[in-house]
Amino acid sequence: MTISFSVVDEQHDFVVLDKAPGISFHSDDGPGLVAKATATLGYALFPVHRLDKVTSGLIILARSSSAAAELTALFTAHQVEKYYLALSVGRSAKKQGWIKGDMVPSRRSAWKLLNSQHNPAVTYFVSRGYDELPFRAYLLKPFSGKTHQIRVAMKSLGAAISGDVLYQAEMADRVYLHAYALQFTLSGQQYQYVRPPKCGDKFQQLLQHDGLSEWRLPWQLSWPEYKQPKQVNR
């Protein structure tokens, strides 16, 4: 039987789960993550953000409607720091930096990044390569929350995420995108979570190579501040 998730932490107001890849968040073709977690844990759970079906890793579910409202407000205000881990065999246009642009629907349920900046998806990333491994690792911090944002950002670099055939990457045993870390403050208390990926041959190679040694606490890295552009009144 496929394991859908594991419990990382249970708090009074929320739970943090480690979602397996290939598990739908919503109950589209059978019970989704929220329904499965509710049945397993035995109490009501409320979504406050989501992960794509192909993405594994950390996700928060609220345990009450009031907690859901508080957490949703944090996500809406971009006060939850999220860090994603991705692997690619492609050659990226740059090794670190900003990826900014408006996103619009493309073909086959995909999205594409534009040069315009009206309501942009904003991501900053760092990366590193390994002499002994046939891929490059990327640590990405989104400053906005758009559908497929990380996947589109990586494609725009010329380094589509390994296994993400929707964005013209090579076939692999999974899409190599993982929600790696979260940091936020709720009711005056700070919470920090880091969860290395478990599933996937390439992720296993990365861990055996100690490839995440520099990124164990990603919020301690030197991330630039993103300043919203001022609106021009016309």
Side-chain angles (χ1 to χ4, degrees):
M1 183 177 68
T2 301
I3 298 175
S4 302
F5 66 91
S6 60
V7 177
V8 176
D9 190 22
E10 286 185 85
Q11 295 287 334
H12 178 267
D13 290 322
F14 63 87
V15 297
V16 180
L17 306 180
D18 182 2
K19 184 183 88 67
I23 302 300
S24 295
F25 183 79
H26 299 292
S27 297
D28 299 323
D29 302 317
L33 177 69
V34 179
K36 290 180 177 182
T38 298
T40 299
L41 298 177
Y43 46 77
L45 292 168
F46 301 79
V48 295
H49 68 131
R50 65 182 297 275
L51 293 177
D52 286 349
K53 181 176 181 178
V54 300
T55 308
S56 59
L58 293 170
I59 189 163
I60 303 168
L61 296 174
R63 295 183 62 172
S64 67
S65 57
S66 58
E70 289 185 67
L71 286 163
T72 298
L74 290 181
F75 277 101
T76 301
H78 308 299
Q79 293 179 356
V80 179
E81 293 182 34
K82 299 178 287 182
Y83 301 89
Y84 289 82
L85 180 66
L87 303 182
S88 177
V89 299
R91 288 183 175 270
S92 58
K94 52 186 178 180
K95 300 299 187 289
Q96 71 177 66
W98 292 102
I99 310 166
K100 302 177 185 178
D102 295 320
M103 287 175 51
V104 295
S106 184
R107 296 178 297 173
R108 299 178 296 117
S109 301
W111 293 74
K112 64 181 179 180
L113 195 71
L114 304 179
N115 291 325
S116 58
Q117 304 285 328
H118 301 297
N119 182 23
V122 179
T123 306
Y124 194 87
F125 79 97
V126 295
S127 68
R128 56 176 306 195
Y130 313 88
D131 292 337
E132 300 85 354
L133 298 176
F135 51 76
R136 191 169 189 87
Y138 295 76
L139 183 66
L140 304 104
K141 181 181 181 181
F143 289 80
S144 54
K146 309 288 187 182
T147 301
H148 288 196
Q149 177 170 331
I150 303 297
R151 298 166 70 182
V152 173
M154 290 290 292
K155 175 64 166 59
S156 74
L157 290 174
I161 298 169
S162 186
D164 197 357
V165 294
L166 179 62
Y167 290 98
Q168 289 79 60
E170 84 288 356
M171 291 287 291
D173 57 336
R174 62 161 293 182
V175 174
Y176 278 86
L177 179 60
H178 179 76
Y180 177 55
L182 290 168
Q183 177 177 248
F184 59 96
T185 299
L186 181 67
S187 301
Q189 182 172 343
Q190 186 179 63
Y191 297 92
Q192 297 175 329
Y193 301 97
V194 178
R195 196 72 164 188
K198 299 177 181 177
C199 302
D201 293 341
K202 290 185 176 69
F203 276 147
Q204 290 300 315
Q205 292 177 52
L206 182 70
L207 295 176
Q208 290 167 10
H209 193 72
D210 200 21
L212 297 179
S213 58
E214 296 180 7
W215 297 343
R216 294 192 190 283
L217 297 175
W219 43 79
Q220 292 185 351
L221 300 178
S222 181
W223 298 97
E225 181 181 357
Y226 174 65
K227 296 183 178 179
Q228 294 275 1
K230 293 182 179 180
Q231 297 294 325
V232 178
N233 295 323
R234 295 175 182 261

